[in-house]
């Protein structure tokens, strides 16, 4: 039966599944139930998502074709076939993006008084303002680059906007000149006009006054185009390049010059100019995408920063912060019980406070952390540096191969090293994606370990809009396991046994297999069985086969998958008992939950790992149990609330597409809004209790001093 489950008809192509996910994000931009500015943000996110997908996934497929790698994927498609299919699907999605932009977002913003102006509808005063702006701010930094026999087509950097120009000299009868110039980024993408809430794109300003750049020439045509290059970072795994930091820095420079993998150009561009650009960039027609509107929709993010209209956004929300995890109470509280944090409904501040408190605590001897992604002005980085300068042993593994965060992480690694922190620059051949922190403290002449384990990164900014789960604990077995893992990461250690943790690349896959097999055995024995999992992506073929086998045994399987899923549902005799939900809403669902019924004695695990081959086989990941019964129940309750969501949930259908739930006759259930309401309710209760306590202290009678009592 295992060979039977390998049939391509049982799997969805990974890239088509990713495009389907981005379509779900695009649906949020269309959804008029979302506030207008949030819809614009969703549209900008679809552009950013797609750019990264092209730079990595599409680039990877093109590399496979170039080197002659011709193996089919799980769905039976060869690399060339995949490129053809996803090119068509991406083209359709890009067309839909611009329909949302032109027919919905821009008209709605204009109706609210926020207008994107163009050259043909500027007032005289605006034209004069922009002329001065161009001469003072833009002209000095513009670099026109002629293209002719003596000056070849210039190198254009990745992710840049450029202007192609057709010119004719005043003395010539026919045009024969071409030039290119990069749109400057020094003044920002969106230029605010003097009139309130009116803006114009910087590339339009350049085009309006381009005559000043080419005196003596007539400009026949201009067009804006955007290019993306292959940005996959391939760090070699050999003895000839022992300094991984220098190698990553070198690769960062190299990849800026990678092959062009996509060109976006305006649909009004003439064939003459377009053919010159395409030929010069050495791209095929399949890599050129024409759009009707402003190139590169991430301009929306820049525009939104200039709009002050909170009534057009989600209402402000700040998560619950327990006083038990304040600096004064941190270690005492964790000593008494484990704490589960559900971000952003629980604020991320206690995690930051955990490190800050450890840095200042005289009884703390050492701090060890893994940093995969941190914010640009990270308070955790500052706390670690402070701890080192106070004489504590501070060790940090900075994963400098974290995709698109490489430069930021290289910067922080250098910064920490200068402050006296012992920095490990990742591992050769493996990305370290685990999220863990260890604080070693002396208490009553004993050495104890405090641990933070999580599903998400130590990024205090993204923690406000990523949903993640984290555990603060003093559990001795987990503490010993985390210590052992740091010894593996920073030294030489062949740890063969962990008390509670499971670590990839060698342990998580096998552990989940065992747990699935346990549910299969229970189902076959007539016992209660069930699997509930939540993660970002499911693309590991072997794991899908294990889930298929569980379904064949009759195990009910509920999967909450935000992004990719190569699994198919409702295949008779293969996946009848599998249901897949996907939630795309206000917050990005990032937490990973793995739960097994265990004959009505549920076991619950949290992890940094998704069910993707790279996470299970090529990354250092952690999976850890929730040992406390109350915390297990809380996570199961979180899962159930999300499963009952009927507002932001899409359900995977037999044909591979996702459909929203028909809510007719149902009470509205928006899981993220429910969690917000619960958090606000707890915060309100705490405030009432504090107010009541203050009132009680204010009116508490004092003893009569004349009777000898205390005043």
């Amino acid at each position: 039966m295992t060979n039977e489950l390998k049939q391509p008809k049982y799997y969805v192509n990974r890239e088509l599944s990713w495009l389907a996910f981005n379509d779900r994000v695009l649906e949020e931009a269309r959804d008029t139930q979302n506030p207008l500015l949030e819809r614009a943000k969703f549209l900008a996110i679809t552009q950013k998502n797609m750019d990264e997908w092209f730079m990595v996934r599409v680039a990877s497929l093109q590399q496979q074709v170039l080197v002659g790698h011709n193996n089919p994927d799980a769905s039976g498609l060869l690399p060339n076939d995949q490129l053809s299919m996803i090119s068509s699907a991406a083209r359709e999605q890009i067309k839909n993006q611009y329909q949302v932009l032109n027919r919905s977002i821009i008209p709605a913003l204009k109706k609210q008084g926020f207008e994107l102006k163009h050259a043909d509808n500027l007032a005289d005063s605006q034209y004069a303002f922009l002329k001065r702006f161009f001469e003072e701010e833009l002209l000095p930094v513009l670099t026109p680059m002629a293209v002719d026999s003596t000056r070849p087509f210039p190198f254009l950097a990745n992710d840049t906007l450029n202007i192609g120009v057709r010119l004719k000299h005043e003395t010539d009868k026919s045009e024969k000149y071409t030039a290119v110039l990069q749109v400057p980024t020094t003044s920002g993408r969106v230029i605010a006009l003097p009139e309130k809430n009116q803006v114009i794109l910087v590339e339009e300003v350049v085009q309006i006054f381009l005559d000043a750049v080419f005196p003596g020439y007539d400009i026949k045509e201009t067009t804006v185009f955007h290019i993306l290059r292959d940005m996959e970072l391939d760090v070699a795994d050999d003895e000839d390049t022992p300094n991984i930091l220098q190698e990553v820095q070198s690769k960062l420079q190299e990849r800026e010059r990678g092959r062009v993998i996509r060109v976006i150009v305006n649909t009004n561009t003439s064939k003459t100019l377009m053919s010159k650009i395409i030929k010069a960039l050495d791209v095929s027609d399949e890599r050129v995408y024409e759009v009707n509107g402003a190139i590169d929709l991430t301009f929306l993010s820049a525009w939104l920063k200039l709009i002050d209209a909170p009534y057009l956004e989600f209402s402000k929300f700040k998560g619950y912060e327990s006083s038990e995890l304040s600096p004064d109470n941190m270690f005492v509280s964790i000593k008494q019980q484990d704490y589960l944090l559900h971000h952003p409904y629980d604020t991320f501040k206690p995690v930051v406070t955990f490190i800050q408190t450890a840095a200042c605590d005289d009884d703390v001897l050492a701090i060890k952390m893994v940093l995969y992604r941190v914010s640009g002005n990270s308070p955790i980085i500052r706390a670690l540096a402070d701890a080192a300068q106070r004489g504590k042993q501070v060790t940090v593994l900075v994963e400098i191969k974290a995709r698109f965060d490489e430069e930021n992480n290289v910067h922080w690694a250098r910064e920490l090293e200068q402050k006296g922190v012992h920095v490990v620059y990742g591992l050769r051949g493996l990305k370290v994606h685990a999220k863990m922190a260890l604080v070693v403290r002396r208490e009553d002449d004993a050495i104890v370990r405090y641990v933070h384990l999580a599903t998400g990164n130590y990024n205090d900014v993204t923690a406000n809009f990523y949903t993640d789960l984290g555990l603060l604990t003093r559990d001795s077995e987990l503490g010993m396991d985390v210590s052992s893992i740091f010894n593996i990461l920073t030294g030489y250690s062949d740890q063969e046994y962990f008390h509670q943790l499971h670590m990839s690349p060698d342990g998580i896959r096998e552990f989940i297999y065992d747990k699935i097999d346990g549910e299969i055995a229970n189902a076959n024995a007539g016992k209660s069985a069930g699997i509930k999992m939540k993660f970002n992506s499911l693309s590991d073929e072997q794991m899908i086969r294990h889930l298929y086998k569980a379904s064949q045994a009759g195990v009910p399987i509920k999967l909450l998958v935000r992004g990719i899923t190569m699994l198919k549902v409702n295949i008779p005799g293969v996946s009848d008992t599998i249901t897949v939900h996907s939630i795309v809403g206000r917050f990005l669902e990032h937490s990973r939950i793995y739960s097994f019924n265990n004959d009505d004695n549920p076991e619950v695990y949290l992890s940094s790992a998704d069910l993707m081959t790279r996470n299970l086989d090529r990354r250092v990941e952690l999976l850890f149990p929730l040992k406390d019964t109350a915390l297990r129940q809380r996570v199961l309750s979180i899962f159930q609330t999300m499963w009952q969501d009927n507002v932001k949930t899409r359900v995977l259908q037999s044909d591979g597409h996702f459909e929203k739930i028909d809510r007719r006759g149902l009470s509205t259930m928006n899981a993220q809004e429910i969690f917000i309401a619960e958090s606000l309710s707890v915060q309100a209760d705490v405030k009432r209790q504090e107010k009541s306590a203050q009132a009680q202290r204010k009116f508490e009678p004092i003893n009569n001093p004349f009777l000898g009592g205390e005043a």
Side-chain angles (χ1 to χ4, degrees):
M1 182 58 74
T2 300
N3 288 334
E4 164 74 13
L5 295 178
K6 291 184 178 180
Q7 293 185 66
K9 65 181 181 181
Y10 294 153
Y11 301 89
V12 175
N13 173 259
R14 183 194 192 282
E15 312 312 332
L16 292 178
S17 180
W18 184 88
L19 281 167
F21 156 68
N22 210 37
D23 261 335
R24 298 196 289 279
V25 181
L26 186 56
E27 284 179 8
E28 293 300 307
R30 287 194 191 98
D31 189 350
T32 55
Q33 297 301 306
N34 289 323
L36 176 56
L37 300 189
E38 305 297 342
R39 291 168 56 203
K41 288 177 189 175
F42 278 118
L43 183 55
I45 289 169
T46 66
Q47 176 78 62
K48 186 173 183 294
N49 286 348
M50 186 176 277
D51 287 354
E52 292 185 1
W53 176 71
F54 264 98
M55 287 188 284
V56 177
R57 295 299 308 177
V58 178
S60 176
L61 284 171
Q62 290 180 351
Q63 287 175 4
Q64 291 177 44
V65 172
L66 283 173
V67 300
H69 178 85
N70 213 28
N71 293 337
D73 72 337
S75 68
L77 293 175
L78 300 174
N80 246 334
D81 300 327
Q82 293 184 63
L83 283 173
S84 177
M85 290 183 67
I86 64 180
S87 176
S88 175
R91 204 172 296 280
E92 182 67 20
Q93 188 170 108
I94 290 171
K95 185 181 82 172
N96 292 336
Q97 286 176 318
Y98 277 83
Q99 285 182 345
V100 174
L101 175 73
N102 295 323
R103 299 181 185 179
S104 182
I105 301 298
I106 287 181
L109 284 169
K110 186 175 181 179
K111 189 175 181 180
Q112 292 289 336
F114 305 100
E115 187 175 3
L116 181 65
K117 302 285 284 188
H118 299 285
D120 58 2
N121 64 356
L122 291 171
D124 291 343
S125 59
Q126 292 174 328
Y127 185 91
F129 166 81
L130 290 174
K131 189 173 188 299
R132 288 193 303 274
F133 179 84
F134 174 81
E135 291 170 349
E136 295 171 6
E137 298 286 336
L138 300 179
L139 186 57
V141 296
L142 282 173
T143 304
M145 294 171 284
V147 180
D148 54 34
S149 58
T150 62
R151 291 168 290 189
F153 197 87
F155 174 80
L156 303 176
N158 175 63
D159 195 18
T160 56
L161 277 182
N162 302 274
I163 298 176
V165 189
R166 280 174 46 218
L167 304 116
K168 174 184 171 295
H169 195 272
E170 293 173 349
T171 61
D172 292 337
K173 292 183 178 180
S174 61
E175 65 166 88
K176 54 183 177 182
Y177 301 104
T178 305
V180 173
L181 61 164
Q182 186 171 313
V183 176
T185 58
T186 49
S187 300
R189 179 75 191 278
V190 179
I191 309 302
L193 293 165
E195 291 73 15
K196 187 178 180 182
N197 297 330
Q198 295 192 10
V199 300
I200 189 169
L201 298 181
V202 67
E203 62 267 28
E204 284 214 44
V205 180
V206 174
Q207 288 174 290
I208 292 170
F209 302 104
L210 203 53
D211 284 339
V213 182
F214 300 101
Y217 289 79
D218 294 330
I219 295 175
K220 308 301 290 184
E221 179 187 3
T222 66
T223 192
V224 180
F225 62 97
H226 179 261
I227 68 167
L228 285 181
R229 295 183 178 274
D230 181 343
M231 293 291 281
E232 180 66 303
L233 183 66
D234 181 21
V235 177
D237 185 15
D238 57 56
E239 296 300 323
D240 296 329
T241 51
N243 190 327
I244 196 169
L245 178 63
Q246 289 181 2
E247 188 180 352
V248 168
Q249 290 175 312
S250 172
K251 287 289 183 182
L252 284 171
Q253 294 173 348
E254 282 181 28
R255 79 175 184 185
E256 287 294 334
R257 304 189 69 86
R259 291 175 301 107
V260 175
I261 57 163
R262 190 193 71 193
V263 180
I264 289 185
V265 65
N266 196 282
T267 191
N268 294 325
T269 308
S270 70
K271 289 184 179 180
T272 302
L273 184 53
M274 190 178 297
S275 63
K276 287 184 178 181
I277 292 170
I278 292 170
K279 183 179 179 181
L281 292 173
D282 190 25
V283 295
S284 62
D285 291 341
E286 291 76 25
R287 296 189 221 169
V288 180
Y289 295 80
E290 298 179 38
V291 300
N292 178 28
I295 308 293
D296 182 10
L297 297 177
T298 58
F299 82 86
L300 288 165
S301 298
W303 187 8
L304 293 176
K305 290 176 182 177
L306 302 177
I307 296 177
D308 182 18
Y311 55 93
L312 296 177
E313 299 175 313
F314 289 127
S315 56
K316 299 296 182 186
F317 167 71
K318 183 179 179 182
Y320 169 64
E321 181 182 345
S322 172
S323 60
E324 294 174 359
L325 296 176
S326 66
D328 293 339
N329 300 327
M330 179 67 67
F331 293 120
V332 173
S333 296
I334 301 174
K335 184 176 181 179
Q336 294 171 348
Q337 68 177 79
D338 290 353
Y339 284 84
L340 181 76
L341 299 173
H342 186 199
H343 310 301
Y345 316 106
D346 294 317
T347 178
F348 191 71
K349 190 175 178 181
V351 180
V352 176
T353 301
F354 177 61
I355 304 301
Q356 290 173 332
T357 304
C360 300
D361 190 326
D362 292 338
D363 292 323
V364 168
L365 307 177
I367 304 173
K368 301 183 181 184
M369 285 191 79
V370 171
L371 298 179
Y372 189 75
R373 299 188 198 277
V374 294
S375 63
N377 187 28
S378 172
I380 287 178
I381 294 286
R382 292 196 298 273
L384 292 169
D386 181 42
Q389 292 183 317
R390 289 172 181 265
K392 302 182 191 305
Q393 294 292 317
V394 183
T395 304
V396 179
L397 188 146
V398 180
E399 182 46 83
I400 56 174
K401 301 187 295 295
R403 184 173 288 148
F404 299 114
D405 267 7
E406 297 96 344
E407 292 182 66
N408 189 48
N409 285 6
V410 166
H411 164 75
W412 285 126
R414 291 293 198 199
E415 190 87 7
L416 286 170
E417 218 165 31
Q418 290 171 5
K419 299 293 185 181
V421 174
H422 178 63
V423 178
V424 179
Y425 297 103
L427 301 178
R428 183 164 300 285
L430 291 172
K431 280 187 181 180
V432 181
H433 192 246
K435 292 81 169 70
M436 59 179 176
L438 172 69
V439 171
V440 181
R441 193 170 188 261
R442 185 183 297 281
E443 294 179 3
D444 302 325
D445 295 325
I447 302 296
V448 297
R449 300 177 179 93
Y450 290 84
V451 171
H452 177 256
L453 296 165
T455 67
N457 300 307
Y458 289 103
N459 189 317
D460 56 295
V461 175
T462 59
N464 292 311
F465 51 90
Y466 279 33
T467 75
D468 272 304
L469 291 161
L471 177 70
L472 285 165
T473 181
R474 190 176 175 266
D475 182 89
S476 60
E477 290 187 335
L478 283 174
M480 285 188 286
D481 285 350
V482 171
S483 286
S484 296
I485 289 172
F486 274 110
N487 289 340
I488 293 170
L489 296 179
T490 63
Y492 296 108
S493 175
D494 289 329
Q495 187 76 19
E496 295 183 359
Y497 172 78
F498 293 114
H499 299 86
Q500 299 289 337
L501 290 181
H502 302 274
M503 182 175 75
S504 68
D506 299 319
I508 294 178
R509 177 187 292 280
E510 290 74 16
F511 178 76
I512 293 178
Y513 284 171
D514 287 345
K515 290 299 172 184
I516 293 174
D517 290 342
E519 296 306 307
I520 292 173
N522 283 342
N524 289 335
K527 297 179 180 179
S528 180
I531 296 170
K532 297 175 181 177
M533 295 179 176
K534 178 182 182 292
F535 39 74
N536 293 282
S537 294
L538 172 60
S539 61
D540 184 80
E541 185 181 351
Q542 295 178 64
M543 193 62 71
I544 292 171
R545 286 205 297 272
H546 260 74
L547 292 170
Y548 282 161
K549 285 191 282 186
S551 182
Q552 288 175 327
V555 179
I557 301 170
K558 296 179 178 179
L559 305 178
L560 280 166
V561 188
R562 175 175 61 90
I564 298 164
T565 173
M566 289 170 53
L567 174 147
K568 289 187 175 181
V569 297
N570 301 325
I571 305 172
V574 175
S575 59
D576 309 83
T577 66
I578 302 177
T579 308
V580 178
H581 288 188
S582 179
I583 293 179
V584 178
R586 172 176 180 172
F587 302 126
L588 184 147
E589 290 296 338
H590 193 255
S591 55
R592 289 95 168 186
I593 300 169
Y594 298 97
S595 172
F596 306 92
N597 181 273
N598 191 36
D599 193 23
D600 290 332
N601 185 24
E603 296 177 331
V604 179
Y605 303 85
L606 304 179
S607 181
S608 60
D610 294 314
L611 296 187
M612 306 175 75
T613 305
R614 71 184 188 197
N615 296 93
L616 300 173
D617 296 345
R618 299 193 300 274
R619 287 186 173 186
V620 176
E621 306 272 12
L622 290 183
L623 180 145
F624 56 95
L626 291 179
K627 299 166 71 174
D628 182 271
T629 302
L631 299 190
R632 282 200 303 270
Q633 286 303 126
R634 184 182 173 197
V635 170
L636 289 173
S637 175
I638 288 170
F639 187 98
Q640 186 60 22
T641 299
M642 298 195 70
W643 194 257
Q644 292 173 336
D645 181 292
N646 56 24
V647 176
K648 296 300 181 183
T649 290
R650 283 87 167 170
V651 181
L652 182 61
Q653 305 298 306
S654 302
D655 62 1
H657 83 279
F658 282 82
E659 248 180 43
K660 278 199 166 187
I661 294 172
D662 184 350
R663 295 210 308 271
R664 285 177 295 185
L666 299 176
S667 299
T668 297
M669 291 281 289
N670 183 328
Q672 294 185 352
E673 292 300 324
I674 289 171
F675 293 138
I676 287 174
E678 290 175 348
S679 176
L680 292 175
S681 177
V682 171
Q683 294 179 59
D685 285 344
V686 169
K687 284 184 179 179
R688 280 194 293 270
Q689 290 169 10
E690 290 175 350
K691 193 173 181 179
S692 176
Q694 289 173 357
Q696 188 174 351
R697 286 193 295 271
K698 184 176 180 180
F699 295 107
E700 193 172 83
I702 59 174
N703 293 328
N704 189 329
F706 300 105
L707 297 178
E710 292 184 359

